[in-house]
Amino acid sequence: MPTWQLRLLRGRPGSSPRLETYPVELPAEAYLIDAVEKIWAEQDRSLLFRHACHHASCGACGVRVNGRERLMCITPLREFSPDRPIRVEPLRHFPWLGDLLVDVSPMMRRMAEVGFAIIRRDELTADRPLPEGIEQGTRFEDCIECGLCLSACPVMAADEDYLGPATLAAIERMRSEPRDRDAARLLALADDPHGAWRCHSAMECTAVCPSNVDPASAIGRLRRWLIAEKLRRWFGGGR
Amino acid sequence: MSYHVIVIGAGSTGAATAHDLALRGFRVTVVERGEVASGTSGRNHCLLHSGGRYAMRDPESARECIEENMILRRIMPEALELNDGLFVALDEQDLSFKERFLAACEECGIPAREIPVKQALALEPHLNPNILAAVQVPDGVFEPFRFCLSFLATAKHNGATILTYTEVVDFVFQGRTVAGVRVRDRRTGEERVIGGDIVVNAAGPWSGKIAAMAGVDVPVVPTAGVMISVGRRWNRMVINRLNMPGDGDIIVPQRRTAIIGTTSWRVEDPDFIPIPEDHVRLLLDRAERFIPGYTRGGIRGVFAVARPLVGRRGVAADGRELSRTFECFDHAVDGVEGFVTITGGKMTTARAMAEKAVDVVCAKLGLEIPCRTREVPLLSYRAFF
């Protein structure tokens, strides 16, 4: 069985963090979350990390792996080589609580402000008849609120008040499927110097998204819609 | 009321117990050594059970499941995909269970109806076209992290304190009565004592270890299962095999993915469970019998976790024979006052487990406060943050 070299960022707020190496024996079929959990179970009980579902549904285990935002639970060890260290660091642009742990509450509060509904109409099986007694096929929204896009976004580094890709993508989803939410309020939120206009189209959010949200395109659609609304208001004589 | 109850564990059972306690007016502190749902609850199959799976062999658990399923639809609508489920017969042996299955569902109050195979294939065109029968039941799908967070968010709103990354290291006694717990804050390394009138052990498969710290025995049998996530969604409904519960006989769709499960074997230490490669092969193989081509090239993740089954004497080693019902132990019978364990059960029955545990807490303190968790809708999980 191969031995993997994990280099984990360790430390607590108030002291300077350092990278420490841990050898972990696991088959190549295992995932990065298994390696980190095994280090916690067998080598260092003080290790702080977030995880829950282990199948990319909960969004808890986001980190940076060799500098790239990933969910540990769907990052297979076979991507790496046992003789090259795997560097694991916490997400950026969140308050750091120690080791790999960050405080995601600023993001959650923004998503709550949008009122982003977790349930959506299911478009994936819409070509089929509905089961008897079911009024509408539903499924969870793609966004799992993992924060990878916020960590990868270069604008987040420059502007603390930037709404961020996840929240803007959520506004775009609520625009296209409103579900009783107040559309005017959402659009005012997006049409703000810290909203949709702040995006530089660096596309990093879409590159790291593990859940098919494609925030960059969503922000593009939101902008086009905001422009069309303005034009309509200026030239179209209102509603 | 000034009674303070400490709940150990922020999985589904601990979260629902905290919510119930807070609603009944207790002061509540939850201590959890990791993240919310970082144990068994998070690594769940995400199946909101109709009870169909247990109707033939474990009717008590089946009844609990259908009752709680209907309650969760009312109190937690924002965390559920509700597209029903199908039990399908793949061969003659499965088919021979059909009448018994339908009768057992009726007996347990599970609205199950047989639908023609042709209709089942229209609903689920990727299903194996050679299925021999299909029965529709009100299964559903939940998001396990948000399931627990919804209970905790509501508990917090009602005054509960939730301490994550806080590990119980010892119990504090006054004579033979538990008077609190000693905890270590894993962020600072500092230890302190939290005093309480009652301590509720909701540590799932770890509840045996917690109970041992207080010097009592809980017959919990950590029974692991493997699940595989595939990065595509071909089925709208939950697909189950119409037979006795076995390995690899459920495919739970979720979001744009599906989760194939599961297997069953006893483990000593639930902290880290190595995944047996042969279980993975078995699951892939079985899933292909339901939905041919589903697993080819689409595996996203593989995970294992231990269920907290309640042990019985003379039961087979794989745990399939153990009931999925739950039990509440008042450790006064073991000579330790102020200490209660709630374990077993399914995530689907977490609310009922909490009700039972808090009923026991109330009885111990001589209180009569009715449970309200059947009616009170939960807050959004985001209110937790």
Side-chain angles (χ1 to χ4, degrees), chain A residues 98-115:
Chain A
D99 299 341
L100 306 177
L101 185 65
V102 295
D103 175 10
V104 296
S105 50
M107 172 181 67
M108 289 300 185
R109 281 197 291 268
R110 280 178 180 163
M111 297 302 262
E113 210 181 328
V114 171

Side-chain angles (χ1 to χ4, degrees), chain A residues 3-203:
Chain A
T3 300
W4 312 86
Q5 308 296 325
L6 269 76
R7 278 182 67 71
L8 308 183
L9 184 128
R10 299 300 312 271
R12 297 290 185 267
S15 66
S16 28
R18 64 207 178 274
L19 284 167
E20 285 193 9
T21 304
Y22 301 84
V24 194
E25 210 180 292
L26 273 173
E29 291 74 30
Y31 291 82
L32 188 54
I33 189 66
D34 302 323
V36 169
E37 191 173 44
K38 198 171 185 215
I39 292 170
W40 163 80
E42 295 173 2
Q43 298 185 46
D44 190 342
R45 287 271 169 170
S46 70
L47 179 63
L48 301 172
F49 61 107
R50 287 183 88 217
H51 65 127
C53 80
H54 290 220
H55 69 277
S57 170
C58 74
C61 70
V63 291
R64 283 182 300 143
V65 184
N66 294 339
R68 203 62 177 149
E69 281 75 10
R70 306 285 298 266
L71 292 177
M72 290 192 276
C73 64
I74 52 169
T75 300
L77 290 178
R78 62 176 178 273
E79 270 187 27
F80 307 96
S81 156
D83 47 17
R84 304 271 301 267
I86 307 166
R87 197 174 78 247
V88 187
E89 297 163 285
L91 294 181
R92 296 181 293 192
H93 313 140
F94 288 97
W96 180 55
L97 299 174
D99 299 341
L100 306 177
L101 185 65
V102 295
D103 175 10
V104 296
S105 50
M107 172 181 67
M108 289 300 185
R109 281 197 291 268
R110 280 178 180 163
M111 297 302 262
E113 210 181 328
V114 171
F116 182 43
I118 187 173
I119 303 295
R120 61 166 291 166
R121 260 198 315 265
D122 171 28
E123 81 293 14
L124 301 172
T125 58
D127 56 333
R128 305 175 200 172
L130 280 167
E132 205 184 318
I134 301 293
E135 282 166 30
Q136 185 187 66
T138 60
R139 68 175 183 91
F140 295 126
E141 282 282 355
D142 287 327
C143 181
I144 55 173
E145 297 161 301
C146 61
L148 298 196
C149 59
L150 273 70
S151 176
C153 175
V155 178
M156 291 301 299
D159 179 4
E160 272 195 354
D161 296 322
Y162 178 43
L163 275 183
T167 310
L168 289 167
I171 292 175
E172 167 59 17
R173 274 296 302 141
M174 296 306 288
R175 184 189 71 76
S176 53
E177 193 187 326
R179 288 160 283 186
D180 305 328
R181 266 29 173 224
D182 177 2
R185 196 183 57 82
L186 289 179
L187 291 161
L189 213 56
D191 188 17
D192 180 280
H194 300 291
W197 308 111
R198 197 74 175 79
C199 167
H200 289 175
S201 304
M203 314 298 278

